Amino acid sequence: MPSDYFEEDDFTGEVSGGVLKRIFELLRQHWVWVAGFIVTIIIVSILDAYFTFLSKEIIDQGILKGDVDALVRILIRYASMILVQSAGIFTFVFLAGVMGERVRYDMRRMLFNHLQTLSLSYYSRTPVGWIMSRVTNDTERVAELVTWGLIDSTWGVVNIATTLAFMFAINWQLALIVLAIIPVLIYAAVQFRKRILKQVRKVRKINSRITASYNENISGVRVVKALGREDGNLGEFKLETGEMYTAGYRAAWLSALFLPIVQIISAFAIGGIIWYSGAQVNFEGITIGGIQAFLSYMTFMMWPIQDLARVFAEMQRSLASAERIFHLVDTPPEIQNKPNAIDPGSIRGDITFEHVHFWYEDEMPVIKDLNLHVKPGETIALVGSTGGGKTTIVNLLCRFYEPRRGRILIGRNDYTDLSLEAIQSRIGVVLQTPHLFSGTIRENIAYGRLKATNEEIEKAAKLTGAHKFISHFEKGYDEPVGEGGVLLSVGQKQLISLARAVLSDPEVFIMDEATSSVDTITESLIQDGMEAIMQGRTSFIIAHRLSTIKRADRILVIEDGQITEMGSHAELLRLQGKYYKLYTQQFRAEREDAYNIFKEEPKVATETE
Ligand code: UTP
Ligand code: MG
């Protein structure tokens, strides 16, 4: 694993203020929504506290004085305020939802955009699952933080503040008692929440390990039995489940303890209030309704305090998610355009490798001092043993990777001086395992040139020989190909990829020829398709088929990152080296196949005739 890669659980919880700041920066673009949200939440909280105040009025002005008119007046006020408050609640919950959605959308777009710029090397060292988890789980958590975290914390703070204000309005001495007790309550609540969350997370982690262990033991049951591993495995299993039980037990204990403790602390506060109002104030300066309202405020305040505690405890996890997202967004692409990168207009296919050295992450040399000059229009076939470096040469040519030493020239320019778009938009590549996107055949052919007309698409398909099988489909060009093209055969996918390459009209054509066995008819179709594309273009073909190789202008034998032989088919045969060996081996294999078929199945052959 590379050093810039960290797991979910490696996070220490040390969240820098920078992350919060960046989340706020994302929110700042939607400041109108944020402002609307805060204003409505303040209105709603004030009304909330006001209701309790009204209940004081009901007792003091209405019930105790026996004034029915006053009672009705207060009740009407109550009802109209409820309507206003309901509208307020709707507004802020809606606004928070919209903001969360905006942040999720912004983050996903930001990630997608950035992921597209990252170089292939990043993808080869970062597991796809890790990236997907950033895009889905982490954006989800941050969106949640923005929606519910924002609602709960703003609601909590504003509620506590307004309640306190009303308390001060009723009696400031009593309010001071409450004020003193609030930090203690919040602190206790946060501590509890954190500890509970830690245990819950531990349970979850062990649980996923146990699931994996179940999975392995059951699917590998034959090996387990054969090697007599039952007792050993059971021991490991017991250890894990024991640990999980302890964590679950602690979580249950803490959860059970939480409410009683909060109760006790607030009971002390309530006791203090009653004692103070009785003994010190002697119930002077405070009405009965006032004391009642005061105690209600006290109880009401428990909810926002708990909400705040929960948000604080859970916020760490969301901030950790945000930190991972920003970390990914901050990873610079290894291959980037230079500030003054140029687009020469055409790359003409005049390509030179000059003392090119290359290695992947592990620093094992893969390409060693490669020198090659390719003239425009030339067809180069690359052959050689597996792992020799053929695909790597193609990767370098497409500038998916850059040479570690030496340089590649396109025309007279070092290709790192050109813009990536200038190079990559003029190179057409058909990969060894062709990739189609879910959608229709038409969409897949037009992938590199979305503006292509139907006639152009069909022309490309006809040129590469794909038209015939496409027209056999019920929906023709509008036939869906399934995810990754699963509904098509390998040969069909290859033909569609060829049509796609033709349509994008590249100046340089590259094909990593498939070794997979397609039937001879498809093979000759592919062959014809390739020839149609290679016409007048510089082409690099990583060839496994003799027919392709023979027609190349030059054949390069790549072994161990170097060109060991170079020349035409005839020249290399005369050399009697590696190429000769490859050629004769393949030729012999084909001849033996034919011989065996003929020897084993002569009857079938005659019967079918
Ligand atoms: P290539 O992928 O260039 O070999 O890998 P090739 O000639 O095309 O092989 P075939 O014919 O398709 O099978 C060259 C070397 O680079 C390493 C491989 O392990 C191989 O030894 N390599 C390749 C990496 O280390 N990292 C990569 O991402 C790709
Ligand atoms: Mg390869």
Side-chain angles (χ1 to χ4, degrees), residues 1-6 125 327:
M1 296 283 160
S3 55
D4 61 347
Y5 168 94
F6 54 98
R125 66 164 188 265
H327 175 81

Side-chain angles (χ1 to χ4, degrees), residues 462-473:
K462 275 181 184 146
L463 199 67
T464 53
H467 179 76
K468 201 164 157 214
F469 85 83
I470 296 172
S471 48
H472 280 148
F473 283 123

